[in-house]
Amino acid sequence: MRFTSVGLLLAAACGGTSGRPFAPKKTTFVPSTKTLLAENVTTLASGGAGGAVTEQIQVISEMPELVEQDAPLIADIQMLSDMLSEVVKKENKQVYEHTQFRKLGMDRAANPDNAEAPFEAMKKLAHDISPSDTLGVMKTFSIALNLVNAAEVHHRMRLVRNADLASSQQDIGPLPMVEDSIRGTMAILLEEDGASPEQIFDKLCSQSCEIVLTAHPTEVNRKTIIRKYRNISELLSLLERPNLHPFERAEGLSNLRGIIAAIWGSDEIRRVKPTVQKEAAGGNAVIESVLWDAVPSYLRKLDAQCRVTLGKKLPVETAPIKFASWIGGDRDGNPNCTPEVTLEVVTHQRLRAAKLFLNELNVLYSELAISKRFSKELEELADQVKDSDDKREKYRRVIGHLRKRLVRTVKDCESQLNQIHDSIHFTSAEHAFGALQGWEDVEPIITKDELMDPLKVIYNSLVETGFELVADGHVSDIIRRVAVFGLTLVPLDIREESTRHTLALDAITRHLGIGSYKEWDESARLNWLQSELTTKRPLFRIGEIVQNTIGLDPDVRKTLMVYKVASELDSESLGAYVISQANTASDVLAVMLLQKQFGMTVDSGKLMRVVPLFETLNDLKNSPEQLETLFRTTSYVGSINGKQEVMVGYSDSAKDAGRLAACWAQYTAQEAMTKVAKKYGVELTFFHGKGGTVGRGGNPALYRAILSHPPNTINGRFRVTEQGEMIRQNFGDLEIAQRSLDIYTAALLREAFIKRVEPKQEWRDEMERVSEVSCNSYRHTVREDPRFVPYFRQATPELELGKLNIGSRPAKRNPKGGVESLRAIPWTFAWAQTRMHLSAWLGVGDGLSPSDEKDKALLREMYEEWPWFREIISLISMLISKTDFSITQHYDDLLVDPKLMSLGDEVREKLVQTRRAVIDISGQTEISGPHVQLMRASSQIRNPYVDSINVVQAEILRVLRGMPEDGSPDLTPESEEIKAIRNDALLLSISGIAMGMKNSG
């Protein structure tokens, strides 16, 4: 069944009365699958309803539809909307009565062929509404969209669970029977691909996926607000329990109302920029509140699935998924990420890990009161523990000693933090662990093995002596946590821009009187670096850097002090040293030399693996040559133990050259680098800087995305970033997090067996043509057209995004630079706000619109037969389907200088061309293509909200840009107050659109 517009009315807004039943009204459904086509069409040229190029409008498909299985989602949204309605009506009746925005948005969505009238009425309403009411409406709509997202989080897992429960009893397993789950993947490998259980098991145990959390600023919600929306999803799950007592139901509903009221009463706007330390605390919170439980829970299910499907038990210490972080180590363009901040973040993470494991061992101590039957190894380990009251209960004797060592670890970390100026407040362990006397007499736990080894002795003893069920309980969970999180919670990567290292070495060579490193050519740099790497003579004394007795520039000294801090940390606290804007082999050797100067060598065990980040078109094209140079350098090869990691930049390369040219450069560069590594016998791992969002190169259809990578480039090793709001979407809820872990694990396993499509030479030739044409088209608009930069800044809220305070680092690497210095995130974010999504498709239309029919036929063949190409086109298709022609036109009408408006018209014509080209190549009748399920709720539930917010946002920008600057004598106190209100409304509108668009931030 499908929903009519009446059904959508229930989902679309906060109007209505409270106390309704939890199921939708009968009018929500219709008995036939036929609905008015007018309610479910999109237009080719308009980019949504009400397009300006009316002569080109063409109905291409029915919109993705809500079906009967989504009835519970609609019921949840209705219930939450009614609760929000109650709050708004009580707190601000004037705002409550502004329901016309929602009605006009729904009329526009329901009648695309007659959408001009409601759109014009919406624009007039936005013009006439008072500043205070504007703020209230933006707040209401932003909350409403967040409530929709919270309901969807619960609904995602409900659908998976219901599908599994609908299977016959013998088909129900620990994990869901879907293709992108380990269970479904194992079934495919066994039944269709002919893999043996042994082959599957071996690959699974050896594969490695590391998810790197970053603080990249795309999460617009405050942490306290995020927690409230997560609580809403959890309460929706509680209310669905079939055996729920009436009082428990009433209490759950009351808690929902309380949370929504608290959200309404909260200030959703960040008034100050977060510090790096607070960003790190936010990342740690995801681990502590969700992943700490999700990881062992998923690994238990993975173990059970291996037993059921493969007849093998997963080794308890096996960890196919691990985590790392950039938060506190990413200093690329962030002056706030100092060496002292890195030390503080790492120490905090060690403190949090020690406290978490101490809590787990407290539970384990109470569980293991076993006083007989111990293995010989356990007996020997227990005998090493002196001064213990646990004489007969030897598991407790060992665990008690570990607890004391963890208390010592906590105390040491607290002492270190007390010495760091302005450290984040933390709770002392004195009260919590005061009962554990004797901690002063033991050593702290530093390495993972110091905790893992005794735990494995306990585990093995339990198994050997008949207590296997006990071993498979809490002991196994703790071991799995140690395997995944270690004693550092997450290892911290360090990232710095290559020019910082160049300037540091230049200062050193000048001080030594041997010339200017910065002015040397690449050959001279390589010769000098290789020579210094092989000598034992240091270039400087570390004390000279600490005391700065040699007169270094403050920024140069800061760069060098990072190495001093890193050299004093234990090796498990740190991960990779990533060099952004790396374009030469000397960039890598420079970091190796600086590490050597601070004692970070193979012999000391503290050498960080050095990872060049290739992120522009030229850097990607030259990357194989740089690897070749490195692998020919004896001193370098001798230090890397036959392993090399390379990071591929997705968002910056797309910003540099356009989507298609960047994608092809990433593909060919990975292929070529893989061949170079194979030639020299080096194991190559690619680190994918996708961020997770589509706008930055990510793919919400994760399973398919991993399978579409170039052949022979993954090989069971996969490292990828997750940023901002994607961390919340994928790991913000216990069930969702387990599902995400399952998809990553399954995709990596399937990729190891799948027969890959090798592109034909004619496909490669065609992609070269497409890449060149699309890149030239993209750069002509973005770089060469003098109208573009002023148009971009007038037509989008790019200049206003900085007021969001969503990240600790500046929006630009160079504050005085233009678009080229703008980071990829605000670049993408700004275009997403206006529904243009230009960064995702500009240049694509020209590349995919050849004049030769043979080229067109070849492109269709590539789409049908080449998964990589098909996935690229499908993702572009999805983002194009989220553009809205008339809304982007409205921004131009209100905000853009008439002299620049011609560029807006040209860009929209390119959008029309791109839509046509995508449909022509794919042969799809639905512009959103295979990602239709991702668009379902967005098209029918979110758009009536987001359309209204867009129209209001454009009006707010028009008014604000016409007001006097802050501090101007023309700004009266009354005007200053109005301006502050409008600024708040603007920030809430940006947040609301980001929530409505979800995967395009």
Side-chain angles (χ1 to χ4, degrees):
M1 292 185 184
R2 299 172 179 175
F3 287 99
T4 65
S5 57
V6 178
L8 295 178
L9 178 61
L10 299 177
C14 26
T17 59
S18 61
R20 291 177 179 170
F22 306 131
K25 293 180 178 179
K26 291 182 180 179
T27 51
T28 301
F29 302 104
V30 291
S32 167
T33 57
K34 295 180 180 179
T35 54
L36 291 175
L37 185 62
E39 291 184 14
N40 301 289
V41 295
T42 53
T43 55
L44 172 65
S46 66
V53 191
T54 53
E55 69 274 14
Q56 295 178 347
I57 288 179
Q58 173 185 348
V59 174
I60 60 171
S61 73
E62 291 193 2
M63 276 170 45
E65 304 224 2
L66 293 158
V67 294
E68 187 173 8
Q69 66 179 355
D70 295 310
L73 171 63
I74 296 297
D76 287 342
I77 293 173
Q78 156 118 35
M79 179 176 66
L80 296 174
S81 297
D82 286 348
M83 290 176 177
L84 177 59
S85 176
E86 284 179 1
V87 173
V88 176
K89 186 175 183 180
K90 179 181 177 182
E91 297 292 330
N92 193 327
K93 195 170 183 179
Q94 186 80 8
V95 171
Y96 171 79
E97 291 174 353
H98 275 294
T99 58
Q100 194 175 357
F101 271 117
R102 176 260 303 161
K103 182 180 182 300
L104 292 170
M106 292 187 59
D107 288 347
R108 183 172 185 262
N111 301 285
D113 292 332
N114 189 27
E116 188 173 349
F119 192 56
E120 290 300 318
M122 196 185 295
K123 289 192 283 186
K124 185 177 187 308
L125 193 60
H127 181 272
D128 295 341
I129 191 172
S130 70
S132 60
D133 286 354
T134 300
L135 178 61
V137 170
M138 292 299 93
K139 184 179 183 72
T140 303
F141 278 24
S142 179
I143 293 173
L145 284 164
N146 271 294
L147 292 175
V148 170
N149 291 344
E152 274 199 338
V153 166
H154 169 56
H155 188 58
R156 282 172 61 187
M157 293 315 302
R158 173 166 49 204
L159 292 178
V160 173
R161 196 164 50 247
N162 289 349
D164 208 30
L165 292 175
S167 306
S168 60
Q169 193 66 33
Q170 62 267 27
D171 288 337
I172 294 179
L175 294 168
M177 179 53 91
V178 290
E179 181 185 5
D180 59 357
S181 168
I182 271 289
R183 184 180 173 200
T185 291
M186 285 179 175
I188 292 171
L189 293 177
L190 289 168
E191 297 167 14
E192 298 181 17
D193 294 353
S196 69
E198 291 75 18
Q199 290 174 317
I200 296 172
F201 186 75
D202 289 345
K203 287 290 186 185
L204 178 62
C205 291
S206 63
Q207 70 184 40
S208 173
C209 176
E210 189 169 44
I211 299 163
V212 183
L213 309 179
T214 78
H216 285 15
T218 58
E219 174 55 80
V220 293
N221 280 317
R222 294 175 59 198
K223 189 169 67 175
T224 54
I225 302 296
I226 291 171
R227 192 178 301 117
K228 288 180 171 65
Y229 287 116
R230 185 168 68 230
N231 291 341
I232 287 173
S233 296
E234 292 168 355
L235 281 170
L236 290 175
S237 297
L238 171 71
L239 291 171
E240 202 169 54
R241 278 172 41 190
N243 60 342
L244 199 64
H245 189 279
F247 176 77
E248 292 176 314
R249 177 175 294 280
E251 189 176 45
L253 292 171
S254 177
N255 288 339
L256 274 178
R257 290 188 176 92
I259 293 172
I260 292 173
I263 292 172
W264 174 264
S266 301
D267 187 357
E268 296 181 84
I269 299 170
R270 286 191 181 96
R271 298 298 174 182
V272 294
K273 290 180 75 67
T275 63
V276 177
Q277 294 96 319
K278 287 187 176 179
E279 287 178 326
N284 292 345
V286 173
I287 295 171
E288 294 182 46
S289 62
V290 180
L291 292 173
W292 190 256
D293 292 322
V295 165
S297 179
Y298 171 66
L299 291 176
R300 280 198 305 272
K301 293 174 182 176
L302 180 61
D303 174 38
Q305 195 65 63
C306 286
R307 299 189 198 202
V308 171
T309 306
L310 305 177
K312 293 179 176 290
K313 184 182 186 304
L314 192 71
V316 69
E317 70 276 13
T318 297
I321 295 277
K322 292 187 178 181
F323 293 88
S325 175
W326 275 13
I327 315 174
D330 184 5
R331 50 196 13 91
D332 177 17
N334 188 353
N336 302 310
C337 189
T338 64
E340 294 77 17
V341 166
T342 296
L343 175 61
E344 183 176 343
V345 168
V346 168
T347 308
H348 264 292
Q349 288 176 177
R350 180 168 289 280
L351 172 66
R352 296 308 307 156
K355 286 188 174 183
L356 287 166
F357 279 118
L358 186 52
N359 290 336
E360 299 300 333
L361 289 185
N362 287 339
V363 175
L364 189 62
Y365 183 88
S366 67
E367 288 181 356
L368 291 186
I370 296 172
S371 59
K372 59 182 179 180
R373 301 208 315 256
F374 306 105
S375 71
K376 180 181 178 181
E377 194 177 9
L378 192 281
E379 296 265 14
E380 293 173 352
L381 184 61
D383 288 343
Q384 295 174 20
V385 178
K386 311 300 180 184
D387 191 23
S388 171
D389 294 333
D390 297 305
K391 305 300 182 185
R392 298 177 66 246
E393 297 165 343
K394 297 192 177 182
Y395 291 119
R396 284 187 164 187
R397 189 178 183 89
V398 174
I399 295 167
H401 182 66
L402 292 174
R403 291 163 73 200
K404 289 181 181 180
R405 293 189 66 189
L406 284 171
V407 170
R408 175 62 185 270
T409 306
V410 168
K411 294 290 188 179
D412 285 0
C413 290
E414 289 178 344
S415 175
Q416 291 173 40
L417 289 170
N418 278 328
Q419 297 173 26
I420 299 175
H421 182 63
D422 290 335
S423 176
I424 289 179
H425 172 74
F426 59 87
T427 303
S428 172
E430 190 67 45
H431 173 71
F433 313 128
L436 289 172
Q437 301 300 320
W439 59 265
E440 305 96 333
D441 303 323
V442 299
E443 293 297 315
I445 296 179
I446 303 298
T447 67
K448 177 192 297 187
D449 287 344
E450 290 177 68
L451 185 55
M452 176 69 86
D453 289 346
L455 285 172
K456 287 180 67 177
V457 171
I458 292 171
Y459 175 86
N460 291 333
S461 176
L462 289 168
V463 172
E464 290 174 22
T465 57
F467 293 107
E468 187 169 0
L469 290 176
V470 179
D472 284 341
H474 202 57
V475 181
S476 293
D477 285 352
I478 299 176
I479 289 175
R480 286 165 177 147
R481 288 184 175 110
V482 175
V484 173
F485 302 111
L487 265 294
T488 60
L489 213 59
V490 281
L492 189 70
D493 282 6
I494 290 176
R495 181 170 76 139
E496 183 59 280
E497 185 187 356
S498 60
T499 54
R500 295 289 182 178
H501 309 131
T502 299
L503 292 174
L505 288 176
D506 186 69
I508 292 168
T509 57
R510 286 177 181 272
H511 172 70
L512 295 174
I514 58 175
S516 171
Y517 178 86
K518 184 174 65 173
E519 295 176 5
W520 295 346
D521 61 20
E522 178 67 2
S523 177
R525 290 183 182 185
L526 287 172
N527 288 334
W528 181 75
L529 290 166
Q530 291 175 51
S531 173
E532 291 300 326
L533 281 169
T534 57
T535 184
K536 293 183 178 180
R537 182 193 68 251
L539 290 170
F540 50 78
R541 294 185 179 90
I542 294 177
E544 293 176 327
I545 306 300
V546 175
Q547 303 299 325
N548 200 14
T549 57
I550 56 178
L552 294 173
D553 176 87
D555 284 339
V556 168
R557 180 180 177 275
K558 184 189 292 186
T559 300
L560 294 173
M561 285 299 292
V562 171
Y563 291 90
K564 181 176 186 298
V565 167
S567 70
E568 295 171 352
L569 294 169
D570 63 282
S571 58
E572 291 183 3
S573 293
L574 299 172
Y577 193 113
V578 180
I579 309 168
S580 58
Q581 300 189 43
N583 27 54
T584 63
S586 65
D587 288 335
V588 176
L589 296 182
V591 174
M592 295 292 288
L593 179 58
L594 289 173
Q595 287 196 80
K596 173 178 173 286
Q597 296 306 303
F598 286 87
M600 299 169 66
T601 63
V602 174
D603 292 338
S604 71
K606 292 195 172 186
L607 180 68
M608 295 179 69
R609 63 187 190 275
V610 182
V611 180
L613 165 53
F614 300 118
E615 50 190 333
T616 68
L617 196 65
N618 285 338
D619 290 347
L620 286 165
K621 289 181 177 179
N622 295 331
S623 59
E625 179 185 343
Q626 308 314 323
L627 284 193
E628 184 98 32
T629 301
L630 288 172
F631 296 160
R632 287 201 306 262
T633 304
T634 305
S635 57
Y636 180 76
V637 173
S639 299
I640 63 174
N641 194 29
K643 296 180 180 180
Q644 176 68 52
E645 185 175 319
V646 169
M647 187 170 184
V648 178
Y650 286 72
S651 53
D652 279 294
S653 58
K655 178 173 163 286
D656 174 47
R659 173 59 63 90
L660 283 180
C663 287
W664 183 235
Q666 292 151 16
Y667 188 100
T668 54
Q670 288 178 69
E671 279 188 321
M673 284 189 280
T674 299
K675 291 178 181 177
V676 171
K678 185 176 180 180
K679 172 182 173 182
Y680 289 92
V682 174
E683 180 183 283
L684 185 62
T685 298
F686 285 109
F687 179 12
H688 303 276
K690 295 187 176 187
T693 57
V694 178
R696 301 192 63 239
N699 188 334
L702 176 63
Y703 188 85
R704 212 164 52 239
I706 290 177
L707 298 186
S708 66
H709 274 256
N712 306 312
T713 60
I714 292 181
N715 302 314
R717 302 180 301 276
F718 193 72
R719 203 166 190 252
V720 66
T721 55
E722 286 276 11
Q723 72 178 38
E725 87 286 4
M726 296 307 297
I727 296 175
R728 174 157 68 113
Q729 287 186 34
N730 292 336
F731 302 106
D733 171 87
L734 185 63
E735 285 191 284
I736 294 292
Q738 292 183 65
R739 182 77 181 101
S740 298
L741 296 174
D742 192 25
I743 295 172
Y744 269 114
T745 307
L748 216 56
L749 180 63
R750 181 79 185 281
E751 197 277 338
F753 289 91
I754 196 169
K755 186 177 180 182
R756 310 303 296 275
V757 174
E758 292 280 356
K760 304 174 185 177
Q761 185 57 49
E762 56 187 352
W763 295 355
R764 291 179 179 275
D765 295 341
E766 182 63 16
M767 276 309 304
E768 291 293 338
R769 184 200 66 77
V770 168
S771 176
E772 182 179 1
V773 172
S774 64
C775 180
N776 290 340
S777 173
Y778 175 88
R779 287 179 171 174
H780 174 75
T781 300
V782 173
R783 293 187 178 184
E784 299 169 16
D785 194 319
R787 298 171 297 170
F788 184 79
V789 172
Y791 172 77
F792 168 57
R793 291 187 168 146
Q794 291 178 32
T796 74
E798 182 257 328
L799 295 173
E800 289 81 4
L801 288 177
K803 298 177 183 178
L804 274 175
N805 292 320
I806 59 176
S808 65
R809 68 180 185 176
K812 290 184 177 181
R813 288 187 170 96
N814 175 8
K816 297 180 180 180
V819 172
E820 73 285 347
S821 69
L822 188 70
R823 291 188 180 277
I825 291 170
W827 165 252
T828 303
F829 205 156
W831 289 115
Q833 284 286 305
T834 65
R835 309 279 285 281
M836 177 70 87
H837 297 288
L838 176 140
S839 58
W841 58 262
L842 185 63
V844 171
D846 287 301
L848 298 182
S849 303
S851 56
D852 192 327
E853 289 298 323
K854 290 182 179 179
D855 286 328
K856 290 183 179 180
L858 191 57
L859 287 170
R860 295 188 191 105
E861 177 187 302
M862 291 159 61
Y863 182 86
E864 290 295 325
E865 299 180 19
W866 190 7
W868 174 83
F869 185 71
R870 182 166 58 249
E871 197 63 22
I872 297 296
I873 299 302
S874 297
L875 281 168
I876 293 170
S877 174
M878 187 189 74
L879 273 181
I880 290 174
S881 72
K882 297 174 77 170
T883 59
D884 192 300
F885 200 103
S886 52
I887 284 179
T888 64
Q889 177 74 61
H890 180 56
Y891 277 84
D892 283 10
D893 291 343
L894 290 188
L895 304 173
V896 175
D897 186 319
K899 296 178 182 178
L900 302 174
M901 291 184 71
S902 58
L903 179 59
D905 293 335
E906 292 167 22
V907 167
R908 280 183 286 277
E909 290 295 336
K910 288 181 178 293
L911 174 59
V912 174
Q913 175 196 30
T914 305
R915 283 173 164 256
R916 286 175 174 160
V918 167
I919 290 172
D920 183 49
I921 288 169
S922 66
Q924 299 283 339
T925 56
E926 171 57 61
I927 186 62
S928 56
H931 295 278
V932 61
Q933 70 277 11
L934 300 169
M935 298 298 300
R936 181 177 59 211
S938 294
S939 299
Q940 299 191 15
I941 295 175
R942 291 188 176 86
N943 281 3
Y945 288 123
V946 182
D947 292 355
S948 301
I949 298 175
N950 275 124
V951 172
V952 174
Q953 184 187 83
E955 182 65 29
I956 295 171
L957 286 169
R958 182 190 68 81
V959 175
L960 282 175
R961 291 176 180 178
M963 296 184 79
E965 294 288 333
D966 291 342
S968 168
D970 297 330
L971 190 65
T972 66
E974 182 182 2
S975 297
E976 188 174 8
E977 182 179 350
I978 292 173
K979 187 176 183 180
I981 292 172
R982 290 198 179 277
N983 267 319
D984 282 358
L986 174 64
L987 298 182
L988 288 173
S989 75
I990 293 172
S991 172
I993 293 169
M995 288 301 99
M997 304 310 292
K998 288 193 75 175
N999 62 355
S1000 52

